[in-house]
Amino acid sequence: MTDPRNQKRVEVRRREGGGGSFSLLSDRVPEARAVLDQHGVPYWMDDIEISSDGGPYISRLVLSVKADLDLVQRLLDTLP
């Protein structure tokens, strides 16, 4: 999945102690959630969407310590 704001891929960030997260445009959340749900990835949505300088809203998905972060990155990479 490419972030249209900077034309770079959306990357999973590993958290100290396990798990991870990634941020993406809020309008792309449904397709990301669909692929995570399809593969049984444990995650939750952060409660806050942010926008800076009137830009698009950004959401964050948080991945459980039980999530396979390498799998999540591969799944995201398959999305346009």
Side-chain angles (χ1 to χ4, degrees), residues 4-80:
R5 296 171 300 151
N6 58 18
Q7 299 305 311
K8 294 183 181 179
R9 80 180 191 165
V10 172
E11 291 192 31
V12 173
R13 291 189 272 327
R14 296 177 186 273
R15 296 185 312 166
E16 191 173 318
S21 66
F22 62 94
S23 297
L24 69 164
L25 294 178
S26 294
D27 63 351
R28 302 287 311 267
V29 167
E31 65 188 296
R33 289 184 71 171
V35 75
L36 295 178
D37 291 344
Q38 182 179 23
H39 289 85
V41 176
Y43 70 93
W44 63 93
M45 292 289 304
D46 200 336
D47 291 338
I48 300 172
E49 291 181 330
I50 60 169
S51 174
S52 62
D53 298 327
Y57 280 91
I58 307 298
S59 296
R60 185 170 71 127
L61 280 81
V62 181
L63 303 164
S64 165
V65 296
K66 296 178 181 179
D68 179 342
L69 303 185
D70 293 325
L71 170 64
V72 172
Q73 186 65 65
R74 288 192 306 271
L75 293 172
L76 292 176
D77 289 345
T78 65
L79 299 173

